[in-house]
Amino acid sequence: MKHGDAEVPRLTVIGTGYLGTTHAICMAVLGFEVLGVDVDQHKIDRLAAGEVPMFEPGLPELLTKALESGRLRFTTSYAEAGDFGDVHFVCVGTPQLPDSDAADLSYVDAAVRSLAPHLRRRALVVGKSTVPVGTAQRLTGVLQELAPAGTGAELAWNPEFLREGFAVDDTLRPDRLVFGVASDWADERLRAAFRPVLDLGTPVIRTDLATAELVKVAANSFLATKISYINAMAEVCEAVGADVKDLADSLALDDRIGGKFLRPGLGFGGGCLPKDIRAFAHRAEEIGVGQAVSFLREVDDINRRRRARTVDIVREVLGGDVNGKRIAAWGAAFKPNSDDIRDAPALDVAHTLHDLGGDVRVYDPAALGNARRAFPELRYGDSAFDVAKDADVIVLLTEWSDFREVEPEALAGIVSHRRIVDGRHALDAAQWRSAGWEYRALGRS
Ligand code: UDX
């Protein structure tokens, strides 16, 4: 590819968190010249040295490849970014504010305000972060006021849908691309910046800025609603002695419904779904349409109740009292194949059991380091078997394959009592029961 001309834009990626790191590396692998930008010198140094700061399958190998190609560099200088880039992707985080359901937009604002004064020629700034609807319009004003290029600096929105654990694949081969643009020029620039992905036949939706912002929160709200829907059915099943696993399997075979995101259990967590539905409900209230998405409050409540109910089931199998009981907690990450513990249901349950006086020991194949740093008061072990030693009960909280593959017979001699609570419907109930275990799961009699 010939860079820096009208055909092939030079790219910058601002914010080297989960999204930005993946995007910068993948775009360089696809053949673009990319400059990764972050205010954190330590992060930049690690990336430049070839170190990926999170657990993401396939990404370390691609970082090495991208660095070796000479197409990927990192900097903390916005002046360098403004000078270098034709298309600038803003990938900074929008976490939940500490005392509100709203999203914290300070990082997005800071990124645009820091970059704009360095935009001296025509350039496209593309937001990828998840933001409340209306943000892109507001930032367009900020950008054009601060950029020496004035209205030559344009803003577009291109939401990101990557899933942790599948981030590389979701970036290189996405289901769809959404281009929220205010002009044909912006659309053309985005098409140039995604040319290799478009050449795969990836569908593109061209739309306005507000719709592009909404697509992301609407998608995450739908996914969260689907999960809470089946978990609500689990509550009903428990009340009447029915089986939510069989119910979910039956619904999944209706291809209008489908089985994805219909796995009942401990519910959703992570850095996206919980905070995105709260921020969406909050924003909808601000703009006078709160009632339209008020069901998202219920979706959130159902999800939180799953954690409380899991604690209740553990208490029940322990005869009503957790105090002093040895509890093996399998899992800490918010989902398997991730070391992310943000709003992790697993650690929430482990911590509540600890607060109730349980002698809890946690094991996770990837997230132990993060869990230890966040919750030093919990005890940790080296393996699924290690934490299960002398346990009064095992609680499966994250469905890692390491846990799914454990043979119940092999564990039988290690634990004090053969009791297992399967918070993720990850185990074969019949197999565990026939090996002499008391098996319990949410929504199953
Ligand atoms: C999510 C979206 O999928 C992605 O498109 C968006 O860009 C970011 O948020 P991610 O947070 O990586 O991605 O996780 P995802 O795989 O979507 O799972 C979210 C949570 O839902 C996890 O805690 C998972 O355990 C839970 N889940 C998922 C269920 O409880 N049941 C299911 O059936 C599916």
Side-chain angles (χ1 to χ4, degrees), residues 376-423:
E377 62 277 27
L378 293 178
R379 298 209 299 143
Y380 298 90
D382 299 329
S383 69
F385 278 67
D386 180 33
V387 294
K389 236 176 266 160
D390 302 323
D392 294 303
V393 61
I394 296 173
V395 199
L396 189 156
L397 300 167
T398 314
E399 67 275 34
W400 284 94
S401 57
D402 301 44
F403 305 142
R404 311 174 84 111
E405 285 158 12
V406 168
E407 293 292 335
E409 293 81 7
L411 260 187
I414 288 177
V415 296
S416 267
H417 293 92
R418 282 185 238 175
R419 301 176 184 129
I420 187 143
V421 176
D422 181 358

mmCIF file of all heavy atoms in Angstrom, residues 376-423:
data_model
loop_
_atom_site.group_PDB
_atom_site.id
_atom_site.type_symbol
_atom_site.label_atom_id
_atom_site.label_comp_id
_atom_site.label_asym_id
_atom_site.label_seq_id
_atom_site.Cartn_x
_atom_site.Cartn_y
_atom_site.Cartn_z
ATOM 1 N N PRO A 376 -7.195 -8.222 48.064
ATOM 2 C CA PRO A 376 -6.124 -8.920 48.791
ATOM 3 C C PRO A 376 -6.652 -9.669 50.012
ATOM 4 O O PRO A 376 -5.983 -10.565 50.527
ATOM 5 C CB PRO A 376 -5.166 -7.775 49.194
ATOM 6 C CG PRO A 376 -5.932 -6.511 49.028
ATOM 7 C CD PRO A 376 -7.019 -6.763 48.037
ATOM 8 N N GLU A 377 -7.864 -9.311 50.470
ATOM 9 C CA GLU A 377 -8.411 -9.965 51.665
ATOM 10 C C GLU A 377 -8.891 -11.395 51.380
ATOM 11 O O GLU A 377 -9.107 -12.174 52.302
ATOM 12 C CB GLU A 377 -9.568 -9.131 52.252
ATOM 13 C CG GLU A 377 -10.789 -8.933 51.358
ATOM 14 C CD GLU A 377 -10.651 -7.794 50.343
ATOM 15 O OE1 GLU A 377 -9.502 -7.473 49.952
ATOM 16 O OE2 GLU A 377 -11.682 -7.258 49.922
ATOM 17 N N LEU A 378 -9.073 -11.756 50.095
ATOM 18 C CA LEU A 378 -9.500 -13.130 49.772
ATOM 19 C C LEU A 378 -8.275 -14.044 49.708
ATOM 20 O O LEU A 378 -7.153 -13.600 49.486
ATOM 21 C CB LEU A 378 -10.232 -13.158 48.424
ATOM 22 C CG LEU A 378 -11.596 -12.447 48.361
ATOM 23 C CD1 LEU A 378 -12.166 -12.529 46.944
ATOM 24 C CD2 LEU A 378 -12.573 -13.062 49.349
ATOM 25 N N ARG A 379 -8.528 -15.349 49.877
ATOM 26 C CA ARG A 379 -7.423 -16.314 49.753
ATOM 27 C C ARG A 379 -7.481 -16.948 48.371
ATOM 28 O O ARG A 379 -8.545 -17.123 47.797
ATOM 29 C CB ARG A 379 -7.535 -17.389 50.833
ATOM 30 C CG ARG A 379 -7.427 -16.780 52.233
ATOM 31 C CD ARG A 379 -6.858 -17.752 53.231
ATOM 32 N NE ARG A 379 -7.691 -18.941 53.381
ATOM 33 C CZ ARG A 379 -7.197 -20.161 53.558
ATOM 34 N NH1 ARG A 379 -5.882 -20.362 53.562
ATOM 35 N NH2 ARG A 379 -8.019 -21.184 53.733
ATOM 36 N N TYR A 380 -6.303 -17.296 47.862
ATOM 37 C CA TYR A 380 -6.215 -17.817 46.496
ATOM 38 C C TYR A 380 -5.427 -19.118 46.479
ATOM 39 O O TYR A 380 -4.602 -19.363 47.357
ATOM 40 C CB TYR A 380 -5.547 -16.774 45.585
ATOM 41 C CG TYR A 380 -6.344 -15.495 45.516
ATOM 42 C CD1 TYR A 380 -6.116 -14.450 46.418
ATOM 43 C CD2 TYR A 380 -7.374 -15.349 44.598
ATOM 44 C CE1 TYR A 380 -6.873 -13.292 46.379
ATOM 45 C CE2 TYR A 380 -8.145 -14.190 44.550
ATOM 46 C CZ TYR A 380 -7.882 -13.166 45.450
ATOM 47 O OH TYR A 380 -8.651 -12.028 45.407
ATOM 48 N N GLY A 381 -5.684 -19.955 45.452
ATOM 49 C CA GLY A 381 -4.951 -21.215 45.313
ATOM 50 C C GLY A 381 -4.392 -21.357 43.917
ATOM 51 O O GLY A 381 -4.634 -20.522 43.038
ATOM 52 N N ASP A 382 -3.629 -22.455 43.716
ATOM 53 C CA ASP A 382 -2.868 -22.616 42.469
ATOM 54 C C ASP A 382 -3.596 -23.394 41.382
ATOM 55 O O ASP A 382 -3.142 -23.449 40.256
ATOM 56 C CB ASP A 382 -1.562 -23.375 42.757
ATOM 57 C CG ASP A 382 -0.713 -22.618 43.735
ATOM 58 O OD1 ASP A 382 -0.803 -21.381 43.722
ATOM 59 O OD2 ASP A 382 0.027 -23.262 44.507
ATOM 60 N N SER A 383 -4.671 -24.078 41.747
ATOM 61 C CA SER A 383 -5.362 -24.881 40.740
ATOM 62 C C SER A 383 -6.772 -25.188 41.246
ATOM 63 O O SER A 383 -7.088 -24.967 42.424
ATOM 64 C CB SER A 383 -4.625 -26.217 40.518
ATOM 65 O OG SER A 383 -4.758 -27.024 41.682
ATOM 66 N N ALA A 384 -7.592 -25.738 40.344
ATOM 67 C CA ALA A 384 -8.953 -26.121 40.726
ATOM 68 C C ALA A 384 -8.903 -27.146 41.857
ATOM 69 O O ALA A 384 -9.691 -27.091 42.809
ATOM 70 C CB ALA A 384 -9.678 -26.690 39.507
ATOM 71 N N PHE A 385 -7.955 -28.083 41.756
ATOM 72 C CA PHE A 385 -7.844 -29.131 42.777
ATOM 73 C C PHE A 385 -7.294 -28.569 44.082
ATOM 74 O O PHE A 385 -7.712 -28.951 45.167
ATOM 75 C CB PHE A 385 -6.958 -30.276 42.266
ATOM 76 C CG PHE A 385 -7.712 -31.243 41.393
ATOM 77 C CD1 PHE A 385 -8.204 -30.852 40.151
ATOM 78 C CD2 PHE A 385 -7.956 -32.550 41.818
ATOM 79 C CE1 PHE A 385 -8.916 -31.726 39.345
ATOM 80 C CE2 PHE A 385 -8.668 -33.445 41.027
ATOM 81 C CZ PHE A 385 -9.145 -33.035 39.783
ATOM 82 N N ASP A 386 -6.351 -27.647 43.973
ATOM 83 C CA ASP A 386 -5.743 -27.058 45.162
ATOM 84 C C ASP A 386 -6.808 -26.401 46.050
ATOM 85 O O ASP A 386 -6.874 -26.656 47.258
ATOM 86 C CB ASP A 386 -4.675 -26.033 44.718
ATOM 87 C CG ASP A 386 -3.990 -25.380 45.897
ATOM 88 O OD1 ASP A 386 -3.827 -26.055 46.935
ATOM 89 O OD2 ASP A 386 -3.624 -24.188 45.794
ATOM 90 N N VAL A 387 -7.668 -25.554 45.434
ATOM 91 C CA VAL A 387 -8.669 -24.861 46.268
ATOM 92 C C VAL A 387 -9.767 -25.818 46.736
ATOM 93 O O VAL A 387 -10.463 -25.528 47.706
ATOM 94 C CB VAL A 387 -9.284 -23.628 45.550
ATOM 95 C CG1 VAL A 387 -8.246 -22.553 45.328
ATOM 96 C CG2 VAL A 387 -9.969 -23.989 44.234
ATOM 97 N N ALA A 388 -9.911 -26.940 46.047
ATOM 98 C CA ALA A 388 -10.969 -27.890 46.422
ATOM 99 C C ALA A 388 -10.580 -28.774 47.616
ATOM 100 O O ALA A 388 -11.439 -29.465 48.183
ATOM 101 C CB ALA A 388 -11.318 -28.778 45.231
ATOM 102 N N LYS A 389 -9.298 -28.690 48.016
ATOM 103 C CA LYS A 389 -8.834 -29.540 49.121
ATOM 104 C C LYS A 389 -9.673 -29.288 50.382
ATOM 105 O O LYS A 389 -9.811 -28.153 50.823
ATOM 106 C CB LYS A 389 -7.362 -29.223 49.413
ATOM 107 C CG LYS A 389 -6.447 -30.444 49.344
ATOM 108 C CD LYS A 389 -5.001 -30.059 49.534
ATOM 109 C CE LYS A 389 -4.334 -29.828 48.190
ATOM 110 N NZ LYS A 389 -3.117 -29.026 48.277
ATOM 111 N N ASP A 390 -10.264 -30.338 50.934
ATOM 112 C CA ASP A 390 -11.074 -30.266 52.172
ATOM 113 C C ASP A 390 -12.279 -29.326 52.070
ATOM 114 O O ASP A 390 -12.805 -28.869 53.091
ATOM 115 C CB ASP A 390 -10.210 -29.842 53.380
ATOM 116 C CG ASP A 390 -9.047 -30.787 53.603
ATOM 117 O OD1 ASP A 390 -9.241 -32.002 53.399
ATOM 118 O OD2 ASP A 390 -7.946 -30.312 53.942
ATOM 119 N N ALA A 391 -12.705 -29.000 50.854
ATOM 120 C CA ALA A 391 -13.819 -28.052 50.715
ATOM 121 C C ALA A 391 -15.127 -28.683 51.178
ATOM 122 O O ALA A 391 -15.370 -29.876 50.969
ATOM 123 C CB ALA A 391 -13.950 -27.612 49.258
ATOM 124 N N ASP A 392 -15.966 -27.825 51.793
ATOM 125 C CA ASP A 392 -17.325 -28.255 52.141
ATOM 126 C C ASP A 392 -18.246 -28.100 50.941
ATOM 127 O O ASP A 392 -19.285 -28.742 50.867
ATOM 128 C CB ASP A 392 -17.849 -27.430 53.316
ATOM 129 C CG ASP A 392 -17.048 -27.704 54.582
ATOM 130 O OD1 ASP A 392 -16.978 -28.879 54.987
ATOM 131 O OD2 ASP A 392 -16.448 -26.756 55.123
ATOM 132 N N VAL A 393 -17.869 -27.199 50.056
ATOM 133 C CA VAL A 393 -18.647 -27.013 48.830
ATOM 134 C C VAL A 393 -17.739 -26.375 47.771
ATOM 135 O O VAL A 393 -16.854 -25.592 48.101
ATOM 136 C CB VAL A 393 -19.913 -26.140 49.080
ATOM 137 C CG1 VAL A 393 -19.555 -24.745 49.563
ATOM 138 C CG2 VAL A 393 -20.776 -26.048 47.821
ATOM 139 N N ILE A 394 -17.984 -26.755 46.494
ATOM 140 C CA ILE A 394 -17.313 -26.094 45.377
ATOM 141 C C ILE A 394 -18.358 -25.244 44.662
ATOM 142 O O ILE A 394 -19.488 -25.702 44.445
ATOM 143 C CB ILE A 394 -16.728 -27.129 44.389
ATOM 144 C CG1 ILE A 394 -15.634 -27.947 45.075
ATOM 145 C CG2 ILE A 394 -16.177 -26.441 43.141
ATOM 146 C CD1 ILE A 394 -15.131 -29.110 44.229
ATOM 147 N N VAL A 395 -17.981 -24.016 44.305
ATOM 148 C CA VAL A 395 -18.899 -23.151 43.550
ATOM 149 C C VAL A 395 -18.227 -22.789 42.231
ATOM 150 O O VAL A 395 -17.177 -22.136 42.223
ATOM 151 C CB VAL A 395 -19.210 -21.836 44.306
ATOM 152 C CG1 VAL A 395 -20.471 -21.207 43.738
ATOM 153 C CG2 VAL A 395 -19.327 -22.059 45.774
ATOM 154 N N LEU A 396 -18.829 -23.228 41.145
ATOM 155 C CA LEU A 396 -18.279 -22.890 39.821
ATOM 156 C C LEU A 396 -18.874 -21.544 39.389
ATOM 157 O O LEU A 396 -20.082 -21.407 39.222
ATOM 158 C CB LEU A 396 -18.629 -23.985 38.808
ATOM 159 C CG LEU A 396 -17.941 -23.876 37.442
ATOM 160 C CD1 LEU A 396 -17.884 -25.235 36.768
ATOM 161 C CD2 LEU A 396 -18.621 -22.883 36.505
ATOM 162 N N LEU A 397 -17.987 -20.548 39.210
ATOM 163 C CA LEU A 397 -18.456 -19.177 38.982
ATOM 164 C C LEU A 397 -18.107 -18.641 37.599
ATOM 165 O O LEU A 397 -18.726 -17.700 37.122
ATOM 166 C CB LEU A 397 -17.865 -18.258 40.060
ATOM 167 C CG LEU A 397 -18.254 -18.623 41.499
ATOM 168 C CD1 LEU A 397 -17.383 -17.887 42.515
ATOM 169 C CD2 LEU A 397 -19.721 -18.334 41.759
ATOM 170 N N THR A 398 -17.083 -19.190 36.957
ATOM 171 C CA THR A 398 -16.719 -18.790 35.585
ATOM 172 C C THR A 398 -16.464 -20.084 34.818
ATOM 173 O O THR A 398 -15.701 -20.936 35.287
ATOM 174 C CB THR A 398 -15.434 -17.928 35.582
ATOM 175 O OG1 THR A 398 -15.531 -16.930 36.600
ATOM 176 C CG2 THR A 398 -15.216 -17.270 34.227
ATOM 177 N N GLU A 399 -17.087 -20.218 33.631
ATOM 178 C CA GLU A 399 -17.095 -21.524 32.966
ATOM 179 C C GLU A 399 -15.838 -21.798 32.127
ATOM 180 O O GLU A 399 -15.922 -22.102 30.936
ATOM 181 C CB GLU A 399 -18.386 -21.709 32.162
ATOM 182 C CG GLU A 399 -18.581 -20.799 30.957
ATOM 183 C CD GLU A 399 -19.180 -19.440 31.278
ATOM 184 O OE1 GLU A 399 -18.904 -18.901 32.351
ATOM 185 O OE2 GLU A 399 -19.904 -18.893 30.418
ATOM 186 N N TRP A 400 -14.666 -21.701 32.747
ATOM 187 C CA TRP A 400 -13.427 -22.083 32.068
ATOM 188 C C TRP A 400 -13.472 -23.565 31.701
ATOM 189 O O TRP A 400 -13.998 -24.376 32.461
ATOM 190 C CB TRP A 400 -12.236 -21.857 33.006
ATOM 191 C CG TRP A 400 -11.803 -20.433 33.182
ATOM 192 C CD1 TRP A 400 -12.196 -19.589 34.178
ATOM 193 C CD2 TRP A 400 -10.881 -19.711 32.365
ATOM 194 N NE1 TRP A 400 -11.574 -18.377 34.016
ATOM 195 C CE2 TRP A 400 -10.767 -18.417 32.916
ATOM 196 C CE3 TRP A 400 -10.140 -20.018 31.213
ATOM 197 C CZ2 TRP A 400 -9.930 -17.442 32.366
ATOM 198 C CZ3 TRP A 400 -9.312 -19.042 30.682
ATOM 199 C CH2 TRP A 400 -9.213 -17.769 31.252
ATOM 200 N N SER A 401 -12.834 -23.920 30.576
ATOM 201 C CA SER A 401 -12.831 -25.341 30.198
ATOM 202 C C SER A 401 -12.083 -26.178 31.231
ATOM 203 O O SER A 401 -12.410 -27.343 31.452
ATOM 204 C CB SER A 401 -12.253 -25.536 28.800
ATOM 205 O OG SER A 401 -10.965 -25.003 28.755
ATOM 206 N N ASP A 402 -11.105 -25.574 31.925
ATOM 207 C CA ASP A 402 -10.392 -26.295 32.998
ATOM 208 C C ASP A 402 -11.368 -26.889 34.010
ATOM 209 O O ASP A 402 -11.135 -27.966 34.559
ATOM 210 C CB ASP A 402 -9.474 -25.354 33.798
ATOM 211 C CG ASP A 402 -8.434 -24.669 32.957
ATOM 212 O OD1 ASP A 402 -8.797 -24.199 31.861
ATOM 213 O OD2 ASP A 402 -7.278 -24.601 33.377
ATOM 214 N N PHE A 403 -12.442 -26.149 34.290
ATOM 215 C CA PHE A 403 -13.411 -26.618 35.289
ATOM 216 C C PHE A 403 -14.403 -27.616 34.679
ATOM 217 O O PHE A 403 -14.779 -28.589 35.313
ATOM 218 C CB PHE A 403 -14.174 -25.431 35.902
ATOM 219 C CG PHE A 403 -13.284 -24.361 36.491
ATOM 220 C CD1 PHE A 403 -13.608 -23.022 36.365
ATOM 221 C CD2 PHE A 403 -12.120 -24.694 37.172
ATOM 222 C CE1 PHE A 403 -12.792 -22.028 36.902
ATOM 223 C CE2 PHE A 403 -11.290 -23.708 37.721
ATOM 224 C CZ PHE A 403 -11.637 -22.371 37.574
ATOM 225 N N ARG A 404 -14.774 -27.325 33.439
ATOM 226 C CA ARG A 404 -15.754 -28.207 32.780
ATOM 227 C C ARG A 404 -15.195 -29.615 32.624
ATOM 228 O O ARG A 404 -15.939 -30.583 32.614
ATOM 229 C CB ARG A 404 -16.104 -27.707 31.382
ATOM 230 C CG ARG A 404 -16.448 -26.248 31.304
ATOM 231 C CD ARG A 404 -16.630 -25.822 29.856
ATOM 232 N NE ARG A 404 -17.956 -26.126 29.422
ATOM 233 C CZ ARG A 404 -18.886 -25.214 29.152
ATOM 234 N NH1 ARG A 404 -18.589 -23.947 29.231
ATOM 235 N NH2 ARG A 404 -20.072 -25.566 28.782
ATOM 236 N N GLU A 405 -13.857 -29.678 32.463
ATOM 237 C CA GLU A 405 -13.245 -30.974 32.149
ATOM 238 C C GLU A 405 -12.886 -31.805 33.387
ATOM 239 O O GLU A 405 -12.419 -32.930 33.266
ATOM 240 C CB GLU A 405 -11.979 -30.737 31.304
ATOM 241 C CG GLU A 405 -12.337 -30.371 29.865
ATOM 242 C CD GLU A 405 -11.234 -29.624 29.131
ATOM 243 O OE1 GLU A 405 -10.095 -29.584 29.656
ATOM 244 O OE2 GLU A 405 -11.525 -29.088 28.039
ATOM 245 N N VAL A 406 -13.082 -31.238 34.585
ATOM 246 C CA VAL A 406 -12.740 -31.980 35.804
ATOM 247 C C VAL A 406 -13.641 -33.220 35.906
ATOM 248 O O VAL A 406 -14.847 -33.152 35.695
ATOM 249 C CB VAL A 406 -12.927 -31.082 37.052
ATOM 250 C CG1 VAL A 406 -12.877 -31.904 38.329
ATOM 251 C CG2 VAL A 406 -11.867 -29.992 37.080
ATOM 252 N N GLU A 407 -13.025 -34.359 36.238
ATOM 253 C CA GLU A 407 -13.794 -35.594 36.447
ATOM 254 C C GLU A 407 -14.276 -35.633 37.891
ATOM 255 O O GLU A 407 -13.468 -35.525 38.816
ATOM 256 C CB GLU A 407 -12.895 -36.824 36.217
ATOM 257 C CG GLU A 407 -12.428 -37.009 34.778
ATOM 258 C CD GLU A 407 -13.571 -37.375 33.848
ATOM 259 O OE1 GLU A 407 -14.571 -37.939 34.343
ATOM 260 O OE2 GLU A 407 -13.463 -37.071 32.645
ATOM 261 N N PRO A 408 -15.587 -35.763 38.113
ATOM 262 C CA PRO A 408 -16.085 -35.741 39.492
ATOM 263 C C PRO A 408 -15.450 -36.827 40.365
ATOM 264 O O PRO A 408 -15.204 -36.601 41.555
ATOM 265 C CB PRO A 408 -17.585 -35.967 39.334
ATOM 266 C CG PRO A 408 -17.848 -36.317 37.906
ATOM 267 C CD PRO A 408 -16.673 -35.873 37.117
ATOM 268 N N GLU A 409 -15.147 -37.979 39.764
ATOM 269 C CA GLU A 409 -14.530 -39.078 40.535
ATOM 270 C C GLU A 409 -13.155 -38.659 41.054
ATOM 271 O O GLU A 409 -12.771 -38.975 42.184
ATOM 272 C CB GLU A 409 -14.367 -40.342 39.680
ATOM 273 C CG GLU A 409 -15.664 -41.008 39.258
ATOM 274 C CD GLU A 409 -16.321 -40.339 38.057
ATOM 275 O OE1 GLU A 409 -15.683 -39.440 37.471
ATOM 276 O OE2 GLU A 409 -17.481 -40.691 37.742
ATOM 277 N N ALA A 410 -12.412 -37.919 40.218
ATOM 278 C CA ALA A 410 -11.045 -37.541 40.585
ATOM 279 C C ALA A 410 -11.028 -36.580 41.769
ATOM 280 O O ALA A 410 -10.059 -36.524 42.527
ATOM 281 C CB ALA A 410 -10.349 -36.902 39.380
ATOM 282 N N LEU A 411 -12.108 -35.827 41.947
ATOM 283 C CA LEU A 411 -12.174 -34.829 43.023
ATOM 284 C C LEU A 411 -12.684 -35.411 44.332
ATOM 285 O O LEU A 411 -12.463 -34.850 45.398
ATOM 286 C CB LEU A 411 -13.165 -33.729 42.631
ATOM 287 C CG LEU A 411 -12.696 -32.403 42.069
ATOM 288 C CD1 LEU A 411 -13.906 -31.494 41.952
ATOM 289 C CD2 LEU A 411 -11.665 -31.746 42.953
ATOM 290 N N ALA A 412 -13.400 -36.541 44.189
ATOM 291 C CA ALA A 412 -14.163 -37.065 45.320
ATOM 292 C C ALA A 412 -13.311 -37.262 46.581
ATOM 293 O O ALA A 412 -13.747 -36.953 47.690
ATOM 294 C CB ALA A 412 -14.850 -38.367 44.922
ATOM 295 N N GLY A 413 -12.071 -37.729 46.400
ATOM 296 C CA GLY A 413 -11.239 -38.014 47.566
ATOM 297 C C GLY A 413 -10.581 -36.775 48.159
ATOM 298 O O GLY A 413 -9.963 -36.833 49.231
ATOM 299 N N ILE A 414 -10.702 -35.648 47.497
ATOM 300 C CA ILE A 414 -9.997 -34.425 47.909
ATOM 301 C C ILE A 414 -10.856 -33.542 48.804
ATOM 302 O O ILE A 414 -10.386 -32.951 49.768
ATOM 303 C CB ILE A 414 -9.571 -33.647 46.630
ATOM 304 C CG1 ILE A 414 -8.444 -34.387 45.943
ATOM 305 C CG2 ILE A 414 -9.148 -32.227 46.968
ATOM 306 C CD1 ILE A 414 -8.002 -33.765 44.646
ATOM 307 N N VAL A 415 -12.159 -33.497 48.474
ATOM 308 C CA VAL A 415 -13.052 -32.593 49.210
ATOM 309 C C VAL A 415 -13.513 -33.221 50.530
ATOM 310 O O VAL A 415 -13.423 -34.434 50.712
ATOM 311 C CB VAL A 415 -14.293 -32.233 48.348
ATOM 312 C CG1 VAL A 415 -13.887 -31.455 47.118
ATOM 313 C CG2 VAL A 415 -15.078 -33.496 47.940
ATOM 314 N N SER A 416 -14.022 -32.357 51.403
ATOM 315 C CA SER A 416 -14.617 -32.860 52.641
ATOM 316 C C SER A 416 -16.013 -33.404 52.395
ATOM 317 O O SER A 416 -16.432 -34.392 52.982
ATOM 318 C CB SER A 416 -14.761 -31.726 53.656
ATOM 319 O OG SER A 416 -13.664 -31.654 54.478
ATOM 320 N N HIS A 417 -16.769 -32.644 51.568
ATOM 321 C CA HIS A 417 -18.133 -33.041 51.229
ATOM 322 C C HIS A 417 -18.330 -32.909 49.737
ATOM 323 O O HIS A 417 -17.904 -31.908 49.158
ATOM 324 C CB HIS A 417 -19.165 -32.156 51.950
ATOM 325 C CG HIS A 417 -19.168 -32.347 53.408
ATOM 326 N ND1 HIS A 417 -18.393 -31.580 54.253
ATOM 327 C CD2 HIS A 417 -19.836 -33.232 54.185
ATOM 328 C CE1 HIS A 417 -18.587 -31.978 55.498
ATOM 329 N NE2 HIS A 417 -19.461 -32.998 55.487
ATOM 330 N N ARG A 418 -18.997 -33.886 49.141
ATOM 331 C CA ARG A 418 -19.226 -33.838 47.692
ATOM 332 C C ARG A 418 -20.448 -32.959 47.376
ATOM 333 O O ARG A 418 -21.555 -33.464 47.207
ATOM 334 C CB ARG A 418 -19.435 -35.249 47.151
ATOM 335 C CG ARG A 418 -18.124 -35.989 47.015
ATOM 336 C CD ARG A 418 -18.368 -37.313 46.381
ATOM 337 N NE ARG A 418 -17.906 -38.373 47.247
ATOM 338 C CZ ARG A 418 -18.075 -39.661 47.011
ATOM 339 N NH1 ARG A 418 -18.739 -40.050 45.930
ATOM 340 N NH2 ARG A 418 -17.606 -40.566 47.833
ATOM 341 N N ARG A 419 -20.196 -31.656 47.372
ATOM 342 C CA ARG A 419 -21.286 -30.717 47.051
ATOM 343 C C ARG A 419 -20.759 -29.737 46.009
ATOM 344 O O ARG A 419 -19.685 -29.161 46.190
ATOM 345 C CB ARG A 419 -21.682 -29.904 48.279
ATOM 346 C CG ARG A 419 -22.148 -30.719 49.448
ATOM 347 C CD ARG A 419 -22.411 -29.747 50.609
ATOM 348 N NE ARG A 419 -22.779 -30.452 51.817
ATOM 349 C CZ ARG A 419 -22.199 -30.255 53.003
ATOM 350 N NH1 ARG A 419 -21.199 -29.383 53.143
ATOM 351 N NH2 ARG A 419 -22.606 -30.922 54.058
ATOM 352 N N ILE A 420 -21.528 -29.535 44.957
ATOM 353 C CA ILE A 420 -21.108 -28.568 43.947
ATOM 354 C C ILE A 420 -22.284 -27.688 43.521
ATOM 355 O O ILE A 420 -23.393 -28.174 43.289
ATOM 356 C CB ILE A 420 -20.437 -29.261 42.735
ATOM 357 C CG1 ILE A 420 -19.858 -28.192 41.787
ATOM 358 C CG2 ILE A 420 -21.380 -30.194 41.978
ATOM 359 C CD1 ILE A 420 -18.545 -28.597 41.139
ATOM 360 N N VAL A 421 -22.021 -26.382 43.495
ATOM 361 C CA VAL A 421 -23.007 -25.411 42.985
ATOM 362 C C VAL A 421 -22.460 -24.911 41.651
ATOM 363 O O VAL A 421 -21.388 -24.322 41.598
ATOM 364 C CB VAL A 421 -23.213 -24.244 43.978
ATOM 365 C CG1 VAL A 421 -24.169 -23.207 43.393
ATOM 366 C CG2 VAL A 421 -23.718 -24.775 45.321
ATOM 367 N N ASP A 422 -23.231 -25.189 40.595
ATOM 368 C CA ASP A 422 -22.777 -24.853 39.243
ATOM 369 C C ASP A 422 -23.445 -23.538 38.815
ATOM 370 O O ASP A 422 -24.563 -23.527 38.320
ATOM 371 C CB ASP A 422 -23.185 -26.010 38.301
ATOM 372 C CG ASP A 422 -22.751 -25.785 36.873
ATOM 373 O OD1 ASP A 422 -22.159 -24.727 36.579
ATOM 374 O OD2 ASP A 422 -23.011 -26.685 36.040
ATOM 375 N N GLY A 423 -22.714 -22.448 39.027
ATOM 376 C CA GLY A 423 -23.284 -21.122 38.756
ATOM 377 C C GLY A 423 -23.412 -20.815 37.274
ATOM 378 O O GLY A 423 -23.973 -19.776 36.911
#
